[in-house]
Amino acid sequence: MSWHSVIGQERIKKILQRSFATGKISHAYLFHGPEGTGKDAAAIAFAKLLNCEQPIDGNSCDTCSGCRRISSLQHPNVQFIVPMPVGKNEKEGDDPFKNLDQEAISEYRQAFGRKSENPYYRISLSKANTIKINSIRELRKSINLARAERGKKVIIISGADKMNDNAANSLLKTLEEPTPNTVLILTTSNHDKLLPTIISRCQMVRFELLREEEIKKGLMEKNNTNEEQQAILISKMANGSFQRALELTGTDLVSQREEMIDLLRSILARSPSIWMKEIEDFLGPKDRYNVVRSLMLLNLWVRDALMLQNENGDAIINLDQRKPLDKFITHFHQAELTSVIYAIERAIALVEKNIYLSLVLLNLAFDIRQFILRR
Ligand SMILES: [Zn+2]
């Protein structure tokens, strides 16, 4: 069923299903809330429901030709508008595609292909910083055209805060004169950047951060991973965003965690000349993003050790690490693990601030020794 492609957000699904059932559908919605929480995914699912030939209990069938064409983002009733590059010598009133070169067009097609496979994919085209006035003009034209298809016309403006002033003013005119059978859905994670006059004409629908449990379930159900431990680690690191969770599925977090635990053991047991070299080797091929991820994994592991130290073993996240964690806290029973966690968090902030990586990790290593070995 179509809502199946939207992770969590049960409250919003109910609101939209109810308005479908009662026929009280707004002519404009503003889906707002943090990045990666499913605003575009919900907009596509809602467009499907509004155009499905045989909806059942507030769900689209996912099999009729309408559903299938919307899934592949190729239904004439559904338009999906994103920031696009400005073509060479493009003038106001031109078709938004007319002056684009071949490369830009194929990038656009590819991005839409990926979006149709994964509604959580974020389309970000090169040199595309704003939603062009010509895209909005085009949508106004298409609203006014006689509809060949049954169902409702749905126009999704993704990243609506990226409209430039001209585009926003042009959209405002459309919002002021609603057309029957047309639904506009604006999605944004920065709704405070929209004109208040636009906001006041839309029904606001607020998306919340996803719960860890929902992210984990979503990952397992969609076969993004079938390793439960990997899904748990991702859900802890995704900060409520399924988009971020999907980005993390590409990395083997379990091995990355092992690498960090080995490094931790070495820092605690061996002489500085050895682990200093190991830190350099560890950093070797990694970018900042990667180092942050490793530090987050280490932090989750130390957090679990703290849980065990406080006799709260039910709360551990690294379920497969129960034995090594037990051994660790038996061996280092006097460790000040809260201080270690703060030190790792500080290190993460410094890595993100572009401070020299080796320096940050060496300082962290000395902090860890001090707080765990207590000397
Ligand atoms: Zn259908």
Side-chain angles (χ1 to χ4, degrees):
M1 297 292 159
S2 82
W3 291 114
H4 200 67
S5 58
V6 183
I7 311 291
Q9 309 296 6
E10 301 306 326
R11 183 182 62 86
I12 289 167
K13 290 176 192 171
K14 284 209 183 77
I15 292 174
L16 297 175
Q17 283 177 314
R18 202 180 312 129
S19 54
F20 175 75
T22 55
K24 285 181 188 151
I25 295 156
S26 298
H27 69 273
Y29 291 90
L30 177 59
F31 288 5
H32 67 104
E35 196 77 43
T37 50
K39 300 178 294 291
D40 283 357
I44 295 169
F46 193 42
K48 248 194 222 179
L49 179 59
L50 296 175
N51 282 284
C52 179
E53 290 159 22
Q54 48 209 2
I56 317 148
D57 295 337
N59 278 296
S60 57
C61 73
D62 249 1
T63 51
C64 71
S65 117
C67 281
R68 279 185 285 121
R69 283 187 293 166
I70 293 173
S71 293
S72 56
L73 297 175
Q74 285 174 345
H75 194 297
N77 272 0
V78 178
Q79 255 181 295
F80 199 93
I81 292 170
V82 294
M84 272 174 64
V86 177
K88 202 167 174 229
N89 303 323
E90 181 172 334
K91 292 184 298 293
E92 199 169 317
D94 283 347
D95 176 320
F97 291 93
K98 196 182 112 191
N99 301 335
L100 295 184
D101 57 26
Q102 208 44 52
E103 203 178 327
I105 290 185
S106 81
E107 189 191 8
Y108 179 91
R109 288 213 183 103
Q110 243 173 29
F112 271 74
R114 291 185 70 175
K115 185 82 179 172
S116 69
E117 283 161 18
N118 164 21
Y120 287 82
Y121 173 73
R122 185 158 53 128
I123 294 180
S124 165
L125 305 170
S126 18
K127 295 184 204 141
N129 305 315
T130 55
I131 291 180
K132 306 193 278 191
I133 170 82
N134 285 338
S135 299
I136 302 294
R137 275 171 172 268
E138 198 68 11
L139 89 82
R140 296 191 61 187
K141 254 193 261 170
S142 88
I143 288 177
N144 295 326
L145 280 180
R147 287 174 318 116
E149 299 274 335
R150 39 183 256 160
K152 273 193 194 295
K153 194 149 205 124
V154 182
I155 292 155
I156 302 166
I157 304 179
S158 176
D161 54 283
K162 299 274 169 57
M163 280 185 291
N164 61 25
D165 290 350
N166 286 342
N169 284 318
S170 175
L171 180 73
L172 195 55
K173 289 197 198 108
T174 311
L175 289 169
E176 282 164 348
E177 308 148 9
T179 321
N181 260 319
T182 298
V183 180
L184 276 156
I185 305 176
L186 281 63
T187 74
T188 176
S189 37
N190 299 299
H191 77 280
D192 46 343
K193 287 194 184 148
L194 285 170
L195 293 176
T197 40
I198 288 186
I199 295 178
S200 68
R201 284 176 173 80
C202 296
Q203 182 182 334
M204 303 276 277
V205 180
R206 184 182 160 72
F207 284 64
E208 307 289 343
L209 287 173
L210 295 169
R211 295 200 307 271
E212 288 167 3
E213 192 51 41
E214 291 170 333
I215 292 181
K216 182 194 148 199
K217 193 166 158 240
L219 290 171
M220 304 282 288
E221 277 177 4
K222 288 173 172 297
N223 284 324
N224 296 114
T225 172
N226 38 32
E227 294 273 346
E228 190 174 17
Q229 187 58 61
Q230 165 97 347
I232 292 172
L233 290 174
I234 292 175
S235 70
K236 295 281 168 195
M237 292 165 73
N239 296 329
S241 159
F242 197 67
Q243 203 174 70
R244 170 123 177 78
L246 288 178
E247 285 163 13
L248 287 167
T249 55
T251 39
D252 183 351
L253 296 180
V254 174
S255 325
Q256 210 169 346
R257 182 194 63 192
E258 293 314 303
E259 188 186 17
M260 278 319 268
I261 299 169
D262 287 347
L263 193 57
L264 174 68
R265 289 203 177 101
S266 190
I267 288 169
L268 294 172
R270 305 172 81 176
S271 72
S273 62
I274 295 175
W275 52 257
M276 280 175 172
K277 167 85 175 57
E278 285 175 352
I279 286 177
E280 289 305 324
D281 293 344
F282 162 80
L283 284 173
K286 292 191 177 63
D287 57 18
R288 269 166 213 285
Y289 183 60
N290 213 320
V291 174
V292 166
R293 207 159 50 212
S294 294
L295 289 173
M296 285 171 89
L297 288 164
L298 177 65
N299 215 11
L300 290 174
W301 196 86
V302 176
R303 173 212 168 268
D304 280 354
L306 178 65
M307 291 295 137
L308 284 179
Q309 202 179 40
N310 295 337
E311 287 168 21
N312 191 7
D314 291 343
I316 70 170
I317 296 160
N318 294 278
L319 300 169
D320 57 341
Q321 288 285 306
R322 184 66 198 239
K323 264 192 193 156
L325 282 163
D326 270 328
K327 239 176 106 181
F328 180 83
I329 59 146
T330 313
H331 194 75
F332 300 110
H333 55 95
Q334 287 194 319
E336 290 174 41
L337 295 176
T338 311
S339 305
V340 176
I341 290 172
Y342 285 142
I344 299 172
E345 281 169 0
R346 254 192 330 267
I348 291 174
L350 291 173
V351 171
E352 281 170 343
K353 269 190 202 150
N354 250 356
I355 309 286
Y356 189 50
L357 289 178
S358 316
L359 191 66
V360 176
L361 286 211
L362 288 177
N363 274 330
L364 175 62
F366 283 112
D367 281 346
I368 285 177
R369 282 173 65 91
Q370 187 196 331
F371 296 131
I372 295 181
L373 303 174
R374 305 290 300 271
R375 61 176 186 246

